[in-house]
Amino acid sequence: MKYVLVTGGVVSGLGKGVTASSIGLILKACGLRVTSIKIDPYLNTDAGTMSPFEHGEVYVLDDGGEVDLDLGNYERFLDIKLTRDNNITTGKIYQSVIDKERRGDYLGKTVQVVPHITDAIQEWIERVAVIPVDGKEGPPDVCVIELGGTIGDIESMPFIEALGQFSYRVGAGNFCLIHVSLVPVLSVVGEQKTKPTQHSVRGLRSLGLTPNILACRSTTELDENVMEKISRFCHVPDQKAHEAILRVLNLKGVAREPALGEWTSRAELCDKLHEPVRVAMVGKYTGLSDAYLSVLKALVHASVPCHRKLCIDWIAAGDLECETAKENLDNYKKAWKLLKGADAILVPGGFGDRGVEGKILAARYARENRIPFLGICLGMQIAVIEFARSIVGLLDANSTEFDPNTQNPCVIFMPEGSKTHMGGTMRLGSRRTYFQAADCKSAKLYGNQSFVDERHRHRYEVNPDMVQQFENAGLSFTGKDESGRRMEIVELPNHPYFVGVQFHPEFKSRPGKPSALFLGLIAAATGQLETFLKKGVPKTWGLSNGTSGLKSHRYVNGSKLANGSLDGIYSKGNGIHV
């Protein structure tokens, strides 16, 4: 087994996750099988109880693991399925060691950070690294490990020590260290400064790790003399990363030249898209885009097949409410102007009652004005509440999450849930949804399958005792779980596109395989939905060997304009992002 470790220095937020994912992608393009591990030095057992404002979105895996958003980057870049064990936290490591101590595994010994914690870290890495994640038999060839935080952080020290020991254990030729660092440009002199990187590398070396490659982030492309200076003072060769990695890992004779034609074609196509599609994102955490990272990526994946450049209009749900009109009229007017100018409206998942009434107003506007709408998790629940109030006439209809005493509880707490423990007590992971009608939009978008497996993360659900009342009024529950009592998909049949889902389809969207429901939303917003539904939605929008595979026509308001490749990712001219 070969290992690639990615660390970060100088400041946080440099893009270690994207760097690690890109390295994995390049190695995969060289014909190698790749897996990934993310190390988070925080004491939380997992990311499930952390605020999106503090740590970005909570990404959910098939096995129900609530993990760091970087594992979403790994899955999207590499098209793999990871498990909760691919995310190591300080909390998990210490918990495992303490459990062993209580069982008597260390009987008679003093349990210490070194060697017990550091050994546990190394054992975890070795155990998880050999688990296949690409659906094939046998262990992967390379494991890319990302160490969260910044070199020098006190909470990272046990991991640094463990990884230093680990590099010695696996031996030369099996371990490659890539350090992500900042090269700032001082506005006063307009010059790229290398000293922060030099100090960061010196600090890394003092901790027993020597980088083989530096990934330098800067606001401008690095000057030749700057690269030469960094190379000279930090003792690393410059440029051609894949060759350097393969050389360090003794894989030059095994791996092929990276076949990146498909990704290059996607980036070039994406850069050529100029006609916008405006999507109003009505949520609670609009101040931090990372809180909805997978939703944003799924929208990008869906926009490119429709030949549109995605434009997100962020709307804080609370700004749509009447109370805001009294307190801050400018914000209220701005929010409603953005909502009314959108081609589509999306209400993502969330928790808590802040902004809920604004989300309900957004769903009502989409329903009444026939604007394409997608509600995810809480977004589906508020759509049902709005329908109950406006169409069924249950004016006090609500979720028991927001009003425990409501006389018309449209959304209720799941019977198997826990109200005393927070972490890992929701309905989590991959669950099966069975379509109730073959002619509904969601079934057609999923390729007319009888069922679909999607990932969940929720504590509340539509009240099954009120479903018949809603259906009699025109709301259609087109997807249910195996029991038939848990509502998974809701649609308005007489609406251009009004869909709500209890699951999170964004977590399984990929650059070449956009989520069916996101694709439906963007297609409806650009006048292409009926064309897609009549012809059927392919399972993949792939490119082959850098040439366009599937072709389709580009439509504006139902009129055919031109042919074009139907695959893509977000590029913005500065690299590949998925």
Side-chain angles (χ1 to χ4, degrees):
M1 173 63 69
K2 307 288 186 177
Y3 299 91
V4 176
L5 173 63
V6 178
T7 61
V10 185
V11 294
S12 60
L14 286 179
K16 294 188 300 296
V18 173
T19 301
S21 302
S22 301
I23 290 163
L25 173 64
I26 291 170
L27 294 175
K28 185 178 178 182
C30 291
L32 300 168
R33 294 175 62 202
V34 182
T35 186
S36 296
I37 293 175
K38 172 67 189 294
I39 297 174
D40 284 302
Y42 49 68
L43 277 168
N44 306 62
T45 301
D46 57 38
T49 58
M50 290 191 287
S51 166
F53 275 128
E54 196 163 304
H55 204 69
E57 76 172 1
V58 177
Y59 189 80
V60 180
L61 302 169
D62 265 10
D63 67 356
E66 298 173 282
V67 296
D68 184 83
L69 59 82
D70 280 319
L71 273 78
N73 285 328
Y74 306 155
E75 286 202 336
R76 281 187 291 269
F77 268 81
L78 303 175
D79 195 16
I80 56 179
K81 287 185 180 179
L82 301 173
T83 70
R84 66 180 76 226
D85 285 350
N86 290 87
N87 194 190
I88 302 175
T89 68
T90 298
K92 285 181 180 178
I93 294 294
Y94 273 78
Q95 189 174 57
S96 69
V97 170
I98 290 170
D99 288 344
K100 285 183 179 180
E101 188 273 330
R102 292 291 85 186
R103 286 198 306 266
D105 292 10
Y106 307 122
L107 202 58
K109 296 180 180 178
T110 302
V111 182
Q112 297 175 288
V113 173
V114 181
H116 300 100
I117 294 295
T118 52
D119 283 353
I121 294 168
Q122 295 175 68
E123 289 163 7
W124 193 304
I125 291 171
E126 284 188 309
R127 173 174 60 85
V128 174
V130 297
I131 299 172
V133 294
D134 56 3
K136 299 177 183 177
E137 296 286 332
D141 300 309
V142 183
C143 178
V144 179
I145 306 165
E146 178 194 345
L147 176 60
T150 307
I151 293 300
D153 294 347
I154 191 168
E155 59 264 32
S156 298
M157 290 304 178
F159 292 102
I160 293 288
E161 175 62 29
L163 289 164
Q165 294 178 20
F166 189 69
S167 67
Y168 177 75
R169 270 179 55 194
V170 299
N174 294 315
F175 189 89
C176 177
L177 173 55
I178 299 174
H179 188 57
V180 183
S181 184
L182 176 69
V183 178
V185 179
L186 300 184
S187 58
V188 179
V189 292
E191 182 184 1
Q192 294 172 332
K193 292 295 183 181
T194 65
K195 270 292 186 287
T197 295
Q198 293 180 48
H199 287 309
S200 184
V201 170
R202 190 176 299 125
L204 190 59
R205 284 204 179 105
S206 70
L207 296 171
L209 287 169
T210 300
N212 302 101
I213 299 170
L214 294 178
C216 298
R217 301 298 302 267
S218 185
T219 54
T220 57
E221 186 176 347
L222 292 189
D223 297 334
E224 283 291 335
N225 65 312
V226 171
M227 286 191 284
E228 290 172 6
K229 187 175 181 180
I230 293 173
S231 176
R232 183 168 62 254
F233 283 99
C234 298
H235 309 157
V236 291
D238 59 337
Q239 301 305 81
K240 296 190 177 179
H242 76 284
E243 291 185 3
I245 296 169
L246 296 176
R247 184 170 58 251
V248 172
L249 297 178
N250 288 333
L251 289 171
K252 289 284 283 184
V254 178
R256 65 178 185 228
E257 276 296 305
L260 292 169
E262 182 177 335
W263 288 88
T264 302
S265 296
R266 286 175 184 164
E268 289 174 350
L269 171 62
C270 199
D271 285 339
K272 293 175 183 175
L273 299 179
H274 300 293
E275 190 168 348
V277 56
R278 307 201 72 86
V279 178
M281 183 86 80
V282 184
K284 178 180 176 181
Y285 309 110
T286 54
L288 179 68
S289 62
D290 271 2
Y292 301 113
L293 184 62
S294 290
V295 174
L296 289 175
K297 300 305 181 186
L299 286 169
V300 171
H301 301 162
S303 298
V304 177
C306 295
H307 288 264
R308 294 296 189 276
K309 181 178 179 179
L310 177 67
C311 296
I312 297 289
D313 290 324
W314 295 97
I315 301 176
D319 288 349
L320 296 170
E321 298 172 2
C322 296
E323 285 298 314
T324 303
K326 300 173 186 176
E327 298 170 1
N328 193 325
L329 186 59
D330 287 342
N331 281 4
Y332 177 80
K333 287 181 176 179
K334 181 181 178 182
W336 275 101
K337 182 179 180 181
L338 288 174
L339 190 73
K340 292 178 179 179
D343 300 311
I345 296 171
L346 191 151
V347 178
F351 297 91
D353 60 359
R354 180 161 59 88
V356 164
E357 292 301 320
K359 295 176 184 179
I360 291 173
L361 288 169
R364 179 178 178 179
Y365 180 82
R367 179 182 58 79
E368 291 180 340
N369 293 276
R370 301 177 65 77
I371 306 298
F373 173 87
L374 177 60
I376 299 172
C377 198
L378 177 60
M380 167 186 166
Q381 295 171 7
I382 62 96
V384 172
I385 294 170
E386 191 281 322
F387 186 88
R389 291 180 183 180
S390 301
I391 303 301
V392 184
L394 306 175
L395 299 182
D396 71 334
N398 214 327
S399 167
T400 55
E401 181 181 5
F402 314 128
D403 182 5
N405 302 314
T406 178
Q407 296 300 303
N408 290 288
C410 298
V411 179
I412 59 173
F413 192 80
M414 292 188 305
E416 71 267 40
S418 171
K419 292 189 176 181
T420 58
H421 290 74
M422 298 296 288
T425 58
M426 290 183 277
R427 186 168 180 252
L428 291 163
S430 182
R431 307 293 177 108
R432 185 155 290 181
T433 294
Y434 293 87
F435 292 106
Q436 307 298 301
D439 60 346
C440 64
K441 292 184 179 69
S442 56
K444 291 179 181 178
L445 286 165
Y446 274 108
N448 297 310
Q449 303 175 73
S450 59
F451 62 84
V452 64
D453 295 323
E454 292 280 13
R455 299 175 184 178
H456 294 67
R457 185 176 186 252
H458 64 107
R459 283 193 179 89
Y460 291 80
E461 64 181 356
V462 174
N463 188 346
D465 296 333
M466 299 182 72
V467 166
Q468 192 60 56
Q469 189 177 2
F470 298 147
E471 290 194 321
N472 291 341
L475 197 61
S476 182
F477 290 92
T478 57
K480 300 180 182 180
D481 76 341
E482 66 279 358
S483 72
R485 285 185 57 81
R486 184 159 280 152
M487 303 303 112
E488 294 282 5
I489 306 176
V490 61
E491 297 183 41
L492 277 176
N494 59 351
H495 191 284
Y497 191 83
F498 193 98
V499 177
V501 290
Q502 187 59 74
F503 48 80
H504 289 264
E506 67 270 23
F507 291 142
K508 293 179 75 171
S509 181
R510 302 289 181 262
K513 306 171 193 172
S515 164
L517 298 177
F518 280 85
L519 184 62
L521 178 71
I522 301 300
T526 57
Q528 303 178 59
L529 182 60
E530 287 306 313
T531 303
F532 283 137
L533 294 180
K534 286 176 183 176
K535 292 184 177 181
V537 179
K539 291 182 180 178
T540 179
W541 304 88
L543 297 175
S544 176
N545 298 323
T547 60
S548 58
L550 187 62
K551 296 274 187 174
S552 180
H553 296 293
R554 179 181 176 194
Y555 287 78
V556 176
N557 298 325
S559 301
K560 185 167 69 176
L561 294 183
N563 287 329
S565 168
L566 286 184
D567 197 347
I569 55 172
Y570 181 50
S571 171
K572 251 189 179 178
N574 60 355
I576 297 174
H577 300 263
V578 295

